[in-house]
Amino acid sequence: MTNDALIQVKDLHKSFHDLEVLKGVSEEIHKGEVVSIIGPSGSGKSTFLRCLNLLETPDKGQVIFEGVDITDQSVDIDKHRQKMGMIFQHFNVFPHLTVLENITLAPTLELGQSKEEAQKNACELLAKVGLLDKKDEYPRKLSGGQKQRLAIVRALAMNPDVILMDEPTSALDPEMVKDVLEVIKELADQGMTIVIVTHEMAFAKQISDRVFFMDQGIIQEKGTPQEVFEHPQNPRTIDFLSKVL
Ligand code: ADP
Ligand code: MG
């Protein structure tokens, strides 16, 4: 095993009933790396991402996170999952909690932080994404872009070692997208390890160290943004990019 792999995926398979969605994916994500996953709808991108933190249980194969095989049944998955932040398309923040409470809940319950410590940390993070003045609001008072920034802050408050993002801007009105992408870019610049499924091709090109093109349940092509976007080799990649660029 290479030592700098934060996440190692070995021969991952996943089916839903008769539908084979992941057909053997083997990859490594390195510490500090930003990996974008692109590809057509239904190709298995979300399933792959959800297998990384075992929101979906693979049928076969292994996910090794920080040297631990988290697909091993005897592993306490909650402990490892804490270190993997997850951001969904539909910013699922808790509607009945204030912005501040949304952020401090897990650090106090799961990391044992004092309320004061968690609140101080939350306020610092909120200030960074321009939401400090919203700390006592309920999520219904926030725009989609603000809710997504809250979701990102909530994930960051757990001090994750990687953040998994599944189309974080797809559900946003166009004018909200930029603010959220800026927050993600800042995280990338700070060295956060990020795996992001996105349809924002220009953004993927800008922030990624590597791009995976997924289609029909496998990673068909991967490389630097220059390689994948400017010199794609696989006919499927070429066809996909001709439709989206
Ligand atoms: P993508 O994110 O690339 O659009 P997904 O991983 O969401 O693709 O889905 C791949 C395929 O698996 C799709 O055909 C989808 O309908 C199917 N699928 C995903 N999740 C489930 C599920 N929980 N139950 C049944 N089918 C699913
Ligand atoms: Mg998806």
Side-chain angles (χ1 to χ4, degrees):
M1 166 182 162
T2 44
N3 298 324
D4 66 339
L6 185 72
I7 306 176
Q8 244 189 325
V9 174
K10 293 184 185 172
D11 196 30
L12 213 59
H13 288 256
K14 176 71 183 177
S15 296
F16 295 109
H17 308 289
D18 294 342
L19 183 68
E20 195 181 11
V21 176
L22 297 181
K23 301 176 185 172
V25 179
S26 298
E27 283 304 333
E28 286 186 357
I29 312 284
H30 302 101
K31 203 165 162 38
E33 202 177 29
V34 177
V35 173
S36 294
I37 304 175
I38 61 169
S41 181
S43 57
K45 304 181 299 296
S46 294
T47 304
F48 174 66
L49 203 68
R50 294 164 64 84
C51 279
L52 294 182
N53 65 356
L54 299 196
L55 283 183
E56 296 289 356
T57 311
D59 299 326
K60 180 168 173 253
Q62 292 171 302
V63 178
I64 296 161
F65 175 55
E66 302 187 318
V68 176
D69 178 1
I70 58 173
T71 37
D72 186 325
Q73 298 283 341
S74 65
V75 158
D76 176 5
I77 182 60
D78 290 339
K79 190 178 122 208
H80 298 284
R81 203 184 269 139
Q82 276 182 7
K83 290 280 153 200
M84 306 171 117
M86 180 101 187
I87 304 295
F88 302 90
Q89 188 175 349
H90 295 281
F91 24 85
N92 50 349
V93 294
F94 306 120
H96 59 291
L97 298 180
T98 65
V99 165
L100 199 59
E101 288 164 351
N102 259 280
I103 303 164
T104 57
L105 184 69
T108 49
L109 283 181
E110 292 174 36
L111 299 183
Q113 288 181 10
S114 70
K115 199 174 163 193
E116 294 69 32
E117 186 184 5
Q119 286 184 345
K120 181 168 172 283
N121 189 31
C123 288
E124 279 167 17
L125 290 167
L126 281 170
K128 280 190 192 158
V129 302
L131 285 181
L132 187 55
D133 59 331
K134 304 286 183 200
K135 71 182 172 63
D136 298 317
E137 298 280 13
Y138 284 86
R140 65 174 176 274
K141 293 281 186 67
L142 303 182
S143 71
Q146 289 171 333
K147 274 186 219 167
Q148 194 59 299
R149 280 182 278 155
L150 166 58
I152 292 171
V153 163
R154 192 179 58 177
L156 290 175
M158 291 296 284
N159 294 318
D161 292 335
V162 58
I163 298 200
L164 312 174
M165 302 190 176
D166 194 357
E167 299 194 32
T169 59
S170 297
L172 299 178
D173 291 334
E175 72 270 23
M176 311 272 175
V177 170
K178 199 167 142 269
D179 288 344
V180 172
L181 291 182
E182 256 168 35
V183 169
I184 299 170
K185 167 123 189 8
E186 213 155 286
L187 282 179
D189 289 344
Q190 288 164 8
M192 176 61 78
T193 310
I194 299 175
V195 185
I196 179 171
V197 175
T198 185
H199 292 295
E200 298 280 341
M201 295 299 151
F203 182 68
K205 203 166 164 178
Q206 183 194 5
I207 68 155
S208 308
D209 297 300
R210 286 192 300 149
V211 177
F212 294 172
F213 170 68
M214 191 156 193
D215 192 20
Q216 300 193 330
I218 59 170
I219 292 171
Q220 303 270 358
E221 183 160 7
K222 61 181 169 176
T224 64
Q226 284 70 28
E227 285 165 348
V228 174
F229 287 113
E230 277 152 41
H231 307 285
Q233 304 295 315
N234 186 309
R236 291 186 185 284
T237 321
I238 295 168
D239 180 59
F240 174 74
L241 291 174
S242 75
K243 290 171 183 154
V244 298
L245 285 184

